Amino acid sequence: MLPEKEQQRIIEQPEQLIEAIQQLVVRGAPAIGVAAAYGLCLAIRGCKDIDTVRSRFREALPALRSARPTAVNLQHMVDRMADLESSAECEHLDGAALKERLLSEARAIDEQDQQCCQAIGESGASLIADGATVLTHCNAGALATAGTGTALSVLYEAWKQGKRFQVLAGETRPLLQGSRLTAWELHKNGIPVEVICDGAAGSFFYNGEIDVVITGSDRVAANGDAANKIGTYTIASLAKAHQVPFYIAAPSTSFDLSIASGDEIPIEQRSADEIWSPTSQQQPPEGIGHRNPAFDVTPASHIAGWITEVGILHPPFEEIRR
Amino acid sequence: MLPEKEQQRIIEQPEQLIEAIQQLVVRGAPAIGVAAAYGLCLAIRGCKDIDTVRSRFREALPALRSARPTAVNLQHMVDRMADLESSAECEHLDGAALKERLLSEARAIDEQDQQCCQAIGESGASLIADGATVLTHCNAGALATAGTGTALSVLYEAWKQGKRFQVLAGETRPLLQGSRLTAWELHKNGIPVEVICDGAAGSFFYNGEIDVVITGSDRVAANGDAANKIGTYTIASLAKAHQVPFYIAAPSTSFDLSIASGDEIPIEQRSADEIWSPTSQQQPPEGIGHRNPAFDVTPASHIAGWITEVGILHPPFEEIRR
């Protein structure tokens, strides 16, 4: 509903959370991961005996884990909760104690994401020069995380350090997270922002008006290839052609070192209605097709650095190998 | 109103035509040029004596000539009409005869544009391979000309020759000429078309799904630099990075050999409302800026060929120097 209306939705059942994730009420790779951890706690709320707690918890895992395919945080956080539940630490707990332990883990995930955001901001702030124009895409801000964001946290931290700069926000069709969320968030925090249509990015690069690009990422492969919102690769390709540095900002929880390259990242295909909706309340005209991949992959060759909570990294990411 | 509603607007005064051009009721470089020639005839309709015909005609020139700045056809066609009016040929005509002569010139301009479209199609059809996927941007079709279009005429002719291919139409934000006009036009003519968001183009190039790109152009400079709808340069840059040929299709009336390069092409800046409108009927949120250039310039280095009514040309365009 942003930017016209700010509304909070209270979610009480894991099914409601899955729907909220699929409808992008909760979106942004880190925010989805945190929400999923809490979603598992919702699944066992009200359960008393240990067998019911364990069975309800395990039943909830698959649907939450696969609510959306591209961002890996969702899988990582569901796996972290699942590993805890089946760990030696939890083996002899009764129902109440296990529920308490799982909730404390979800809270730790939440807290750690907030700390990650702050640390990502501190890692990347030096990349923003005073007077720079920064291009970003989609929303990798507070509305995408439990904290202050990933790409936008870098901007918030640089601004806090006294640097003054301006942001071009790609509107990010089809769902306009750039114009609806990023512009709203930056303006609320006092950072000058102008919205551009996605296709216009080329002309701003051509005119030398963009100094640096920072976006988030939903999944980074072992070789550095990074999936992010559709349109990111177009910008990265333009940045490379115009020798403008392009950075990814993401917590280590968005890195999937189990896959060799971006070729292995599943790309969610979404409904044609998302493309068609701005022009009409009606269905797309009959006979006209639509292609609506929700993400694209930017190859490592186009990325100047991977801004994480432990610094600006490069493949093979030894600093975060678990 | 397309694709939901097809409606014809009857224009009786040059002022109405200027408004229609500025609101994009009449759009597309060739269509604007043809319309402007008829607009000058509207200005003298009802005039009787030769002095009134001449003075009304001359008074109408500046506003029509500058209704929109980027497409050069408008200026060329207004100049052609003005040159005729002040020529030796028209020196001794009476009011009725001059009006008749000017109307026949406007009709010739209209007719020539239709012939141009057909010839452009024949010039370019060989570039479309059977089984190809063609990317186009904005609308360079029948809705942009007096005939069958420029870029789309190439597709219509290739289809007529029995080639079977598919088209990806970039939706072309902010005003969605791709999804509203090009998709409608191609589908109506039986050519398979799928709409994509502009930012998604990169992912289709990256996946090797685009074989050739053809767009129109609003003004081509002497060195081959070509202005076209915002977003065209982004696609051209992607095409170059992925070694996919990128062609401009335009009649010689869109060539402005009086300017050396694209740096001299004035780029129209349009209202922020165009960007904001799809999400809301309201004004853009206060404090959030917008940048809305309506065109961009693709440098000649990114263009594989300039498809015209006299063949596929290259700078310095000796074939069409007047």
Side-chain angles (χ1 to χ4, degrees):
Chain A
M1 294 175 168
L2 290 171
E4 271 112 45
K5 212 159 130 185
E6 194 177 343
Q7 194 177 77
Q8 302 203 335
R9 186 182 294 187
I10 294 170
I11 288 170
E12 313 215 14
Q13 303 290 339
E15 294 73 23
Q16 293 175 318
L17 179 63
I18 289 167
E19 199 189 315
I21 289 172
Q22 288 171 343
Q23 294 177 346
L24 277 54
V25 175
V26 182
R27 32 71 55 200
I32 293 173
V34 172
Y38 282 122
L40 290 168
C41 299
L42 288 177
I44 52 178
R45 207 166 57 144
C47 301
K48 296 234 158 76
D49 66 289
I50 182 69
D51 291 344
T52 315
V53 170
R54 290 199 191 276
S55 65
R56 289 277 176 80
F57 179 88
R58 290 176 187 185
E59 280 162 25
L61 293 171
L64 259 172
R65 196 176 189 278
S66 59
R68 291 189 74 192
T70 303
V72 77
N73 306 61
L74 180 62
Q75 299 172 24
H76 279 163
M77 295 308 134
V78 169
D79 290 348
R80 176 168 159 180
M81 295 289 283
D83 289 349
L84 174 65
E85 187 268 334
S86 59
S87 68
E89 179 194 342
C90 292
E91 202 180 337
H92 301 295
L93 297 182
D94 66 12
L98 179 58
K99 281 166 60 182
E100 184 53 39
R101 181 64 192 88
L102 288 167
L103 182 58
S104 78
E105 190 71 6
R107 287 188 172 130
I109 286 171
D110 183 350
E111 178 70 30
Q112 284 161 18
D113 188 57
Q114 295 180 44
Q115 288 163 0
C116 254
C117 289
Q118 179 57 30
I120 287 169
E122 290 164 8
S123 295
S126 66
L127 299 171
I128 310 298
D130 205 60
T133 297
V134 185
L135 174 66
T136 189
H137 188 66
C138 196
N139 174 267
L143 293 162
T145 62
T148 53
T150 55
L152 297 195
S153 179
V154 171
L155 303 186
Y156 294 138
E157 180 61 27
W159 192 265
K160 213 170 78 184
Q161 294 176 5
K163 290 176 187 168
R164 291 300 169 260
F165 52 88
Q166 52 195 337
V167 180
L168 289 177
E171 63 173 358
T172 315
R173 283 279 292 146
L175 293 178
L176 301 166
Q177 291 92 339
S179 55
R180 293 192 301 110
L181 308 184
T182 292
W184 179 84
E185 222 192 284
L186 289 172
H187 175 60
K188 206 169 120 172
N189 286 282
I191 299 179
V193 57
E194 291 177 312
V195 173
I196 63 170
C197 293
D198 302 322
S203 83
F204 291 97
F205 277 108
Y206 187 70
N207 294 329
E209 295 189 62
I210 297 171
D211 299 301
V212 58
V213 185
I214 308 185
T215 75
S217 173
D218 293 82
R219 189 186 309 215
V220 181
N223 71 343
D225 292 354
N228 193 43
K229 180 57 54 199
I230 190 72
T232 302
Y233 171 63
T234 292
I235 293 170
S237 180
L238 286 164
K240 192 177 172 77
H242 296 82
Q243 298 174 291
V244 170
F246 173 94
Y247 294 94
I248 286 290
S252 58
T253 50
S254 296
F255 285 66
D256 183 359
L257 304 181
S258 76
I259 59 171
S261 80
D263 296 346
E264 296 173 56
I265 301 175
I267 300 297
E268 181 181 3
Q269 306 290 326
R270 293 181 64 92
S271 158
D273 298 347
E274 291 184 350
I275 298 186
W276 200 253
S277 57
T279 58
S280 155
Q281 297 306 310
Q282 301 168 24
Q283 290 297 303
E286 213 178 322
I288 295 175
H290 293 73
R291 303 274 299 271
N292 187 22
F295 300 91
D296 58 28
V297 172
T298 295
S301 57
H302 289 56
I303 303 173
W306 291 251
I307 308 168
T308 75
E309 73 272 25
V310 292
I312 302 173
L313 308 185
H314 292 87
F317 309 118
E318 290 302 342
E319 302 86 341
I320 56 171
R321 287 198 176 262
R322 280 169 281 266
Chain B
M1 293 176 169
L2 290 171
E4 270 112 44
K5 212 159 129 184
E6 194 176 344
Q7 194 176 78
Q8 302 203 335
R9 186 182 292 187
I10 294 169
I11 288 171
E12 313 216 14
Q13 303 290 338
E15 295 72 25
Q16 293 175 318
L17 178 62
I18 289 168
E19 199 190 313
I21 289 172
Q22 290 172 343
Q23 295 177 346
L24 278 52
V25 175
V26 183
R27 33 71 54 201
I32 293 174
V34 173
Y38 282 121
L40 289 167
C41 298
L42 289 177
I44 53 177
R45 207 165 57 143
C47 302
K48 295 236 160 74
D49 65 289
I50 182 69
D51 291 345
T52 315
V53 170
R54 290 201 191 274
S55 65
R56 288 276 177 80
F57 179 88
R58 291 176 187 184
E59 280 163 27
L61 293 170
L64 260 172
R65 197 178 190 278
S66 60
R68 290 189 74 192
T70 303
V72 77
N73 306 60
L74 180 62
Q75 298 170 25
H76 279 163
M77 294 309 134
V78 169
D79 290 349
R80 176 169 159 180
M81 295 289 282
D83 289 349
L84 175 64
E85 186 268 334
S86 59
S87 69
E89 178 193 344
C90 293
E91 202 179 337
H92 301 293
L93 297 183
D94 66 11
L98 179 57
K99 281 167 59 181
E100 185 53 40
R101 181 63 191 88
L102 289 167
L103 182 58
S104 77
E105 190 70 8
R107 287 187 172 133
I109 286 172
D110 183 349
E111 180 68 29
Q112 284 161 17
D113 188 57
Q114 295 180 44
Q115 289 163 359
C116 254
C117 289
Q118 180 57 30
I120 287 169
E122 290 164 8
S123 295
S126 66
L127 300 171
I128 309 299
D130 204 61
T133 298
V134 185
L135 174 66
T136 188
H137 189 64
C138 196
N139 174 266
L143 292 163
T145 62
T148 53
T150 54
L152 297 195
S153 179
V154 172
L155 303 186
Y156 294 138
E157 181 61 27
W159 193 266
K160 213 170 76 185
Q161 293 176 5
K163 291 175 187 169
R164 291 300 170 259
F165 52 88
Q166 52 194 339
V167 180
L168 290 177
E171 63 171 358
T172 314
R173 282 279 292 147
L175 293 178
L176 301 166
Q177 290 92 338
S179 54
R180 293 192 300 112
L181 308 184
T182 292
W184 178 83
E185 221 192 286
L186 289 172
H187 174 61
K188 208 169 119 170
N189 286 283
I191 299 179
V193 56
E194 292 177 310
V195 174
I196 63 169
C197 292
D198 302 322
S203 82
F204 292 96
F205 277 108
Y206 188 69
N207 294 330
E209 295 188 64
I210 298 171
D211 299 302
V212 58
V213 185
I214 308 185
T215 75
S217 173
D218 293 81
R219 188 185 310 213
V220 181
N223 72 343
D225 292 355
N228 193 44
K229 180 56 55 198
I230 191 72
T232 302
Y233 171 64
T234 292
I235 293 170
S237 180
L238 286 165
K240 193 178 171 77
H242 297 82
Q243 299 173 290
V244 171
F246 174 93
Y247 294 94
I248 286 290
S252 59
T253 50
S254 296
F255 285 66
D256 183 359
L257 303 180
S258 76
I259 59 171
S261 81
D263 296 346
E264 296 173 55
I265 301 175
I267 300 298
E268 181 181 5
Q269 306 290 326
R270 293 181 63 92
S271 158
D273 298 348
E274 291 184 352
I275 299 186
W276 201 253
S277 57
T279 58
S280 154
Q281 297 307 309
Q282 302 168 22
Q283 290 297 302
E286 213 178 323
I288 295 174
H290 293 73
R291 302 275 299 274
N292 187 20
F295 300 91
D296 57 28
V297 172
T298 295
S301 56
H302 289 56
I303 303 173
W306 289 252
I307 308 168
T308 76
E309 73 273 23
V310 291
I312 302 172
L313 308 185
H314 293 86
F317 309 118
E318 290 301 342
E319 301 86 341
I320 56 171
R321 287 197 177 263
R322 280 168 282 266

